[in-house]
Amino acid sequence: MTLSSPFVFMGGTFDPVHNGHLRTALEIRQWLDVPEVCLIPSKVPVHREAPGCTSEQRLEMVRLAVAGEPALTADAREILSDQPSYSLLTLESLREELGPGKSLCMVMGMDAYLTLPGWHRWERFLDLCHIVVVARPGYDYRPEEHMRRLTDQHAARSAQALKSSPCGYVLIHELTPLGISATQVRQLITRGESPRYLLPDPVWEYIQTNKLYGFQ
Ligand code: ATP
Ligand code: MG
């Protein structure tokens, strides 16, 4: 049985990163008892990029958000990659770095988990990592049949299971969900209202300085 500390990461567009992401990552770190959780912003194809912000700016905001917290890190591999931003490629690249025996955990919110069947070659994910699903306000676990079967088949009984094998488990974890979304943050800014306290101050300052999301 391998019992080394898992590599835990959370992907997302982080457009922008907010306290819902950061608090979730920190609680997962505590719960899994790992040294750190890594945030990996995804690259959005340029033609699909929201006009308010570039991929490099999203990465910069994630870097600012984790700068003062040793338990959280940022990884630029997706943004810097010239390949399409597929989670599968990220998982393969992490797996290659970590080696076959190390536990790799991908954290995602329930909303993201429920859309998994639409992701590129998602059936392969559990050959490469464990999936930790966190509850999120407004999203109940009501999967379609295929997802429900997959979740049941791969269900881990405890966090310990995620440490005892490199991949293959799904674990749904209830933690303190904060009802914050990047959509809400963007809407506030566009309307000329303050998003302060929903995201770290350095990120809010960066948004104002660079006039992102229509900030005037
Ligand atoms: P948007 O509103 O633009 O979709 P978002 O707030 O959902 O943004 P994403 O970058 O889409 O942020 O999310 C990245 C990951 O973080 C996803 O797995 C998502 O489920 C999770 N997540 C986002 N907000 C929260 C939150 N408040 N609590 C827990 N998980 C969250
Ligand atoms: Mg989202």
Side-chain angles (χ1 to χ4, degrees):
M1 199 156 74
T2 45
L3 272 174
S4 72
S5 195
F7 182 87
V8 183
F9 80 98
M10 188 170 170
T13 44
F14 303 114
D15 188 24
V17 64
H18 55 68
N19 290 346
H21 300 128
L22 298 165
R23 188 64 217 161
T24 298
L26 205 61
E27 289 193 22
I28 290 284
R29 185 200 84 81
Q30 202 89 50
W31 175 62
L32 290 177
D33 189 25
V34 291
E36 60 185 45
V37 170
C38 182
L39 303 186
I40 309 187
S42 56
K43 191 169 68 177
V44 175
V46 175
H47 62 276
R48 271 186 23 216
E49 229 166 43
C53 183
T54 66
S55 291
E56 286 70 23
Q57 288 171 324
R58 289 186 293 108
L59 170 64
E60 187 54 28
M61 289 189 282
V62 171
R63 285 188 167 143
L64 287 170
V66 302
E69 176 48 73
L72 301 181
T73 58
D75 183 295
R77 78 183 61 215
E78 282 203 24
I79 301 263
L80 299 182
S81 160
D82 48 16
Q83 305 213 48
S85 200
Y86 290 136
S87 297
L88 185 67
L89 296 175
T90 304
L91 289 173
E92 284 171 347
S93 120
L94 287 169
R95 177 52 72 200
E96 198 172 305
E97 239 166 69
L98 300 170
K102 175 124 166 151
S103 169
L104 171 59
C105 300
M106 174 163 68
V107 180
M108 56 172 72
M110 182 58 83
D111 58 315
Y113 183 65
L114 293 175
T115 66
L116 210 58
W119 297 23
H120 181 68
R121 295 183 57 204
W122 67 281
E123 303 89 343
R124 280 269 293 136
F125 288 11
L126 288 167
D127 297 334
L128 292 159
C129 70
H130 302 297
I131 300 178
V132 177
V133 187
V134 299
R136 211 181 154 181
Y139 297 93
D140 290 337
Y141 177 57
R142 283 207 205 93
E144 38 119 280
E145 181 56 24
H146 187 34
M147 275 303 271
R148 198 187 52 74
R149 251 186 293 124
L150 178 103
T151 310
D152 291 351
Q153 260 168 27
H154 292 267
R157 274 201 221 103
S158 70
Q160 199 53 32
L162 305 182
K163 298 184 175 186
S164 64
S165 70
C167 57
Y169 283 119
V170 176
L171 189 51
I172 298 180
H173 179 54
E174 301 278 340
L175 43 66
T176 322
L178 294 178
I180 304 173
S181 73
T183 303
Q184 172 196 15
V185 170
R186 291 194 302 272
Q187 284 170 350
L188 287 171
I189 296 167
T190 307
R191 285 204 303 262
E193 291 168 30
S194 173
R196 203 167 173 209
Y197 308 125
L198 298 177
L199 72 180
D201 276 343
V203 175
W204 174 218
E205 281 152 22
Y206 183 89
I207 290 171
Q208 295 173 87
T209 306
N210 293 282
K211 300 197 183 313
L212 305 182
Y213 311 114
F215 176 80
Q216 308 271 350

